[in-house]
Structure formats: C-alpha cells, structure tokens
Amino acid sequence: MMHPAGDDAGGDLDSLDPPIEVLDPQLARELQESRCWIESVTGKQFGNKDFRTALEDGTLLCKLMQKIQPGSIKKVNNLPTPYAKLDNLNLFLRACLDLGLTRSQLFEPSDLTDLTTKERRDPQEERNRLKNVSTFLMFC
C-alpha cells in the first residue's frame, strides 16, 4: 500500500517491508473507516491512491472541511508544488482549530509527508504518522 512502483522505487530495503495491513491490522481498519467517512462526506473517491497519498496535498481535506463547515476555507491551492500542499494542510488545520478542536488533537502536516524518499524508511515511523492522522479524523 505504501510502496511506490518501479525498479528504482527505493531499493531492496523498501521491498522487504510488509504493507501496513500486515504490520498493523487495527490501523488498517481505522484507515479504511476514515477513508470511507471522507469519501461519503465529500463525495470524492480516493481511487487507487493509498490513504497518505490521497490526503498529502491537502485538497481532499479542504473539501472535507468545506462540507463540514461551509465557508471555512475560501480557496484551495491546486498548484502541484510542495508549498501549495503545505498551504492546504495548514488551511485545513486552522479551520479545525476554528471549529473548537485543540492543537493537541491535530496531526502535524509532516505526518502526511512521503517517507519513500528517505534513504532508509522506518515502517514504525510510517505507522505512527498514519495513526496520528487516523486518530485525529476520529475527533471530527
């Protein structure tokens, strides 16, 4: 689920990591519940994207917030740049604070960062980051 395709997708170490579903079935269920909830509220599908990839640019989270609290996010940044992704995630998180969630309930934008670019991925770190996002979505 979290692994890129292709021969140069991160080396032999990444190919040995089992998918999140095998490593943590409970987290896999929580991610699936969150995914279904987001898709039902927004009317948008993740398609063939995994949980992190579907949310990393923040656009789907902004659309979710627009459904929960219309007018809370005025404009979503659709540029394909790292700055735009961070901007969208911050817009979403600020809107969550405005709704009354506390900072300790929020995830960090870095929790949705792609870890496959690291020289050596840490599967536990990846699980922890996804757990942060999943736990947060339970508060919504």
Side-chain angles (χ1 to χ4, degrees):
M1 182 167 140
M2 295 290 153
H3 304 291
D7 294 333
D8 58 349
D12 293 333
L13 291 175
D14 285 341
S15 64
L16 299 176
D17 293 336
I20 291 292
E21 294 86 347
V22 173
L23 293 171
D24 192 338
Q26 176 63 33
L27 177 57
R29 282 190 296 278
E30 291 173 12
L31 295 177
Q32 183 59 33
E33 286 177 28
S34 296
R35 176 185 179 143
C36 289
W37 178 70
I38 291 168
E39 289 177 340
S40 70
V41 171
T42 63
K44 304 289 182 188
Q45 301 298 307
F46 279 37
N48 62 355
K49 294 180 179 177
D50 63 55
F51 188 82
R52 185 202 52 76
T53 304
L55 301 180
E56 72 180 341
D57 70 0
T59 58
L60 191 54
L61 290 171
C62 286
K63 289 175 183 176
L64 175 66
M65 183 55 69
Q66 289 170 330
K67 292 287 187 175
I68 294 170
Q69 184 68 39
S72 59
I73 296 177
K74 305 292 185 233
K75 185 177 180 196
V76 178
N77 193 334
N78 290 310
L79 295 174
T81 65
Y83 176 78
K85 293 176 183 182
L86 183 59
D87 186 41
N88 289 334
L89 291 171
N90 284 323
L91 287 170
F92 173 76
L93 294 170
R94 271 195 298 271
C96 290
L97 289 171
D98 292 344
L99 283 178
L101 288 156
T102 64
R103 187 154 305 279
S104 65
Q105 292 172 312
L106 304 180
F107 64 89
E108 294 293 326
S110 62
D111 290 332
L112 290 172
T113 301
D114 183 359
L115 296 177
T116 60
T117 58
K118 290 179 116 178
E119 185 174 312
R120 179 172 170 125
R121 287 182 33 239
D122 179 0
Q124 183 62 42
E125 180 182 0
E126 191 168 1
R127 283 192 303 279
N128 289 343
R129 287 177 171 206
L130 289 172
K131 180 73 172 170
N132 289 344
V133 176
S134 176
T135 300
F136 161 76
L137 288 170
M138 298 299 173
F139 285 109
C140 290

